Amino acid sequence: MKQEKILLLFPLTGIYGLLFLAEGVDLLQFYRPAVYGFAAVFGLALWALAVFAGKFLAPALATAAAGWKRIDRAKLKIMCIFLAAVLAVSSLLILPNADLFSQAVYQAEGFAARTLQRSSGMDDNPITGGAVSGGNNYRTGTVQLEVETARQPRETLYLKDFTGGEYLGGRWAEADDETLFVRMADTMGWDHWESWIRGMFFSMYYVLNSEFAQEDAAEPNTIIIRHSSGEYYWSYTPYYSQWTNQRWDEEDPQGYAYRFYEPNSMHVDWTQLRDGFELPAQWYRQIQDAYMDEIQTAYTTVPRQMVPRLAELVQANPLTDLNDITEFILGVLHQNASYTLTPGRSPVNEDIVEYFLFDNHQGYCVHYASAAALMYRMFGIPARYAAGYAIQPEQFEEQDNGIWRAEATDEAAHAWVEIFVEDYGWVPVEVTPLAGDTPQVSYPGFDASIQQNLSDVSVTLPDAAAQEDTSSESGQTSERGERAQLSFSLDRYENQLWAAGALILPLLLLIPLFLDVWRIRILKKLRKKNCAQIFSRYLKMLHSCGILKEATGEEEEFPRMLSRAVPLVSFGEAARMQENAMRCCYGAEMPDEKEQEFLYGIYLKTARKLLDTMGGWRRFRFRFLKAFG
């Protein structure tokens, strides 16, 4: 009975398998051999549920069916009327509050998804980091950052913690400016001052704006950022900023502080810098020129074989002016995609950006920002993918001490594109239409009027079907098929693979338990069989090991043959086994239970001896697959 109770684990196995199928169904498209593996896992899950149903549910259903005639029909009618009433009342409650219940479903689905992500080690936030999420974005409203500023910001405050450099197909590798600084030092002849370049570059535009000589020059704001988790393994940086240790509460050690300018407060004029700043200005100018030379290659490169339709779209619309390029990109995104946090799962054999723009036409910030960054680059504009938090000015509230405070929840997690503008450095460009609104784009020299005419931008998307037909007629592999192969990368699917491993591993751990339970059940059933059946099973076991393969057990010389082939069985025991089997088949009187136990004992003794002579696969096959002992 103890072994039978273990069968209660089978429904858990089945439910786990079904959960795996629900969350990992996209991996079935991963590549063909994986289909068979996942089909086997799902088959095992269904088999486990079937065993559970046959062992426990079927008897219960049979009992219920047997008692059907005794059911009080009046009570049955009352129950049906009650259920109908519940359904009607529920409908009346749900229909007028569809949005409320839809939000409840969204939250429940999000809870399930986040539970899976945490159990599999996947990132709980689909925006932070360089992964372009291929699924939905579930938000909880959990506070992530506490931000304080000396004055209320007048523009969206972008706090960046990730900058994407190379696009790897569904994922951005972190930008590697350090390599550029090494090459810049060599080009500039700064070999002995290479370490200076990094610090000077990251605070360059803040310093230049601070040295502006006009009386109406803007004053920098101060910001203190605290992580709600209390962990500071990484940091969030505002644009045009410089780290500072000054704060309004010197006794508060938590968080870190910057002094920063908002983009509209930036005004870099190399001819109107303060007196005495001429030499540093020359150094900064030299660093900017060298950096612009480097990024013209580093941050305009796109793996076009991964995004052929996007490359064709850009190639068909040649543009050179930055405002014209921005207008075209915004028009493409505005006309061909709609903002939603639940776009569904994207196929893993498709590039996520192309699927978002040309097939699904739905997505959120990571998809908009990635598409814009790739298009800017194809037009020759240095661009990068950026992720972190975007906090709106109205989220700040003034405190009693005059400080402005805001809390950034996971709803403020955001991704955007940044482009490099001479004399201003990297500037954020908002291309995501949050809440269905037109994105408020702003950078130095941007013509704001183009945002009012996005519907008039002429955009003709490439026809994917025509592409494939053309490729077929020319005898070449279709571009989309080639793209799927070229964009395949284990790194791209690292999180999905970890999730699959986390789900498959428990199933694999249950397989030995299942096999052992199955073996014990077969042996228990064998013990209750008659002597002829035990003897037949005994012969089958010997034959599977290559022993007495021609023997049927009815030969006159069988006892001698068996005692020679299996020395632990004496001639007398072999003869007794044969006699009981023959009596069971042909005799008038059946052997008693004592003789059945005798045959079963010889069977087990022989099985153990044969097991001792085996190893590896033969032992596993004999013990578990054949369940001989």
Side-chain angles (χ1 to χ4, degrees):
M1 291 300 294
K2 182 178 180 180
Q3 287 80 14
E4 291 180 0
K5 289 180 180 178
I6 296 177
L7 287 173
L8 289 170
L9 291 173
F10 287 175
L12 298 178
T13 307
I15 292 170
Y16 209 56
L18 292 172
L19 176 63
F20 166 70
L21 183 72
E23 289 296 334
V25 66
D26 286 340
L27 294 176
L28 295 180
Q29 308 171 53
F30 191 52
Y31 84 141
R32 190 170 296 277
V35 175
Y36 305 114
F38 293 128
V41 171
F42 187 51
L44 175 62
L46 291 180
W47 184 91
L49 287 174
V51 170
F52 174 75
K55 184 66 181 176
F56 297 99
L57 296 184
L61 293 175
T63 302
W68 172 256
K69 294 181 180 179
R70 296 192 297 272
I71 292 179
D72 189 328
R73 301 301 173 88
K75 291 182 179 179
L76 182 62
K77 289 181 180 179
I78 294 174
M79 184 174 66
C80 291
I81 294 173
F82 174 75
L83 291 176
V86 170
L87 179 62
V89 173
S90 300
S91 301
L92 292 175
L93 290 174
I94 292 174
L95 291 177
N97 302 284
D99 292 340
L100 177 63
F101 283 94
S102 175
Q103 182 66 17
V105 171
Y106 169 82
Q107 292 174 351
E109 185 183 0
F111 174 78
R114 288 190 300 274
T115 300
L116 176 70
Q117 288 168 339
R118 284 191 290 269
S119 66
S120 61
M122 295 170 64
D123 186 7
D124 193 38
N125 192 326
I127 292 179
T128 56
V132 183
S133 175
N136 297 331
N137 179 7
Y138 301 103
R139 300 178 172 183
T140 63
T142 305
V143 176
Q144 305 292 329
L145 300 178
E146 297 175 0
V147 178
E148 293 181 348
T149 56
R151 301 190 304 273
Q152 182 182 21
R154 293 175 297 174
E155 306 172 53
T156 300
L157 181 61
Y158 291 94
L159 302 177
K160 182 174 66 171
D161 79 320
F162 178 85
T163 306
E166 181 183 2
Y167 182 68
L168 302 176
R171 185 172 68 85
W172 291 89
E174 190 164 7
D176 183 16
D177 271 354
E178 300 299 332
T179 301
L180 304 187
F181 296 150
V182 171
R183 292 203 294 263
M184 287 165 56
D186 183 58
T187 302
M188 297 162 56
W190 282 35
D191 296 339
H192 298 293
W193 298 279
E194 178 184 317
S195 59
W196 288 21
I197 296 178
R198 181 182 188 278
M200 291 182 68
F201 175 78
F202 285 128
S203 62
M204 175 166 60
Y205 298 102
Y206 172 87
V207 173
L208 291 173
N209 207 54
S210 300
E211 297 297 328
F212 187 54
Q214 297 297 319
E215 293 183 358
D216 58 350
E219 289 294 325
N221 201 345
T222 302
I223 183 173
I224 296 178
I225 303 171
R226 300 184 181 91
H227 298 189
S228 298
S229 64
E231 298 178 350
Y232 292 89
Y233 303 121
W234 63 95
S235 61
Y236 297 90
T237 308
Y239 286 84
Y240 308 120
S241 64
Q242 186 179 58
W243 180 85
T244 179
N245 58 3
Q246 295 180 358
R247 52 182 68 201
W248 30 86
D249 186 355
E250 297 294 341
E251 297 181 357
D252 181 8
Q254 292 188 344
Y256 46 93
Y258 292 96
R259 291 176 66 79
F260 72 99
Y261 290 101
E262 296 185 63
N264 283 341
S265 300
M266 292 295 296
H267 186 85
V268 176
D269 187 341
W270 299 93
T271 64
Q272 297 189 43
L273 299 176
R274 298 185 188 279
D275 294 339
F277 194 72
E278 292 81 3
L279 183 58
Q282 293 178 14
W283 295 341
Y284 282 121
R285 191 62 177 264
Q286 192 177 1
I287 290 174
Q288 176 179 263
D289 292 343
Y291 187 77
M292 290 176 61
D293 289 341
E294 293 293 338
I295 64 173
Q296 198 57 45
T297 300
Y299 297 128
T300 58
T301 303
V302 175
R304 293 172 183 261
Q305 74 276 10
M306 292 184 184
V307 285
R309 285 184 283 175
L310 195 63
E312 182 182 341
L313 175 64
V314 171
Q315 187 176 1
N317 296 273
L319 300 169
T320 55
D321 180 73
L322 177 57
N323 278 335
D324 292 342
I325 292 170
T326 299
E327 181 180 23
F328 176 79
I329 291 174
L330 292 175
V332 169
L333 296 175
H334 178 79
Q335 294 179 27
N336 297 284
S338 59
Y339 178 83
T340 176
L341 292 173
T342 53
R345 293 187 176 276
S346 59
V348 296
N349 60 341
E350 287 277 356
D351 180 85
I352 295 176
V353 173
E354 289 227 325
Y355 177 74
F356 152 71
L357 193 57
F358 298 100
D359 299 311
N360 194 32
H361 306 292
Q362 296 183 92
Y364 45 95
C365 56
V366 295
H367 309 112
Y368 280 89
S370 295
L374 292 174
M375 284 191 281
Y376 270 121
R377 288 186 174 195
M378 289 179 184
F379 280 117
I381 305 298
R384 304 191 302 193
Y385 171 91
Y389 287 87
I391 308 176
Q392 304 301 320
E394 57 270 19
Q395 293 180 250
F396 285 85
E397 296 181 356
E398 188 174 12
Q399 307 300 301
D400 294 338
N401 58 358
I403 301 302
W404 292 80
R405 186 175 184 274
E407 291 182 341
T409 68
D410 58 354
E411 295 175 347
H414 193 50
W416 58 92
V417 61
E418 59 181 21
I419 62 174
F420 193 89
V421 178
E422 186 174 3
D423 296 342
Y424 293 90
W426 293 107
V427 297
V429 180
E430 185 59 77
V431 295
T432 303
L434 299 176
D437 297 331
T438 302
Q440 298 302 308
V441 179
S442 177
Y443 57 77
F446 175 69
D447 182 1
S449 65
I450 67 176
Q451 293 190 175
Q452 303 171 3
N453 305 312
L454 294 182
S455 318
D456 300 332
V457 178
S458 177
V459 178
T460 303
L461 297 183
D463 186 349
Q467 270 191 330
E468 293 185 0
D469 292 341
T470 304
S471 302
S472 284
E473 291 172 3
S474 62
Q476 298 175 351
T477 305
S478 73
E479 246 181 355
R480 293 184 71 187
E482 183 180 359
R483 179 178 73 255
Q485 295 177 6
L486 291 172
S487 63
F488 173 79
S489 166
L490 287 180
D491 290 338
R492 173 181 173 182
Y493 304 110
E494 181 179 0
N495 286 340
Q496 289 93 329
L497 289 174
W498 276 111
L503 289 164
I504 291 176
L505 183 59
L507 294 176
L508 294 178
L509 294 177
L510 284 173
I511 288 177
L513 175 64
F514 151 69
L515 291 175
D516 201 45
V517 170
W518 182 59
R519 178 185 67 86
I520 293 172
R521 286 178 60 82
I522 288 179
L523 291 177
K524 287 180 67 176
K525 289 181 179 180
L526 180 64
R527 188 171 191 170
K528 298 176 182 179
K529 293 183 180 297
N530 60 42
C531 290
Q533 291 171 323
I534 297 174
F535 186 72
S536 175
R537 178 75 174 171
Y538 185 82
L539 285 175
K540 187 176 181 181
M541 177 178 67
L542 295 179
H543 293 166
S544 72
C545 298
I547 301 173
L548 303 178
K549 295 188 69 173
E550 304 300 326
T552 64
E554 297 183 4
E555 297 87 352
E556 186 177 346
E557 293 296 318
F558 180 79
R560 192 175 304 280
M561 294 162 59
L562 179 58
S563 61
R564 288 177 179 175
V566 186
L568 64 85
V569 180
S570 67
F571 177 84
E573 290 174 328
R576 183 178 173 185
M577 289 177 65
Q578 185 185 40
E579 179 186 0
N580 284 319
M582 295 304 105
R583 281 175 58 196
C584 188
C585 291
Y586 308 112
E589 185 179 351
M590 296 290 289
D592 57 20
E593 290 185 4
K594 181 179 179 182
E595 295 302 319
Q596 286 180 230
E597 285 295 324
F598 167 75
L599 258 72
Y600 185 75
I602 296 296
Y603 175 91
L604 288 182
K605 182 170 68 172
T606 305
R608 295 190 186 104
K609 182 64 177 178
L610 292 175
L611 266 176
D612 291 340
T613 65
M614 299 177 187
W617 166 248
R618 290 185 62 228
R619 183 182 180 89
F620 180 83
R621 178 175 175 272
F622 181 90
R623 184 172 177 82
F624 294 107
L625 300 185
K626 297 292 186 180
F628 283 131

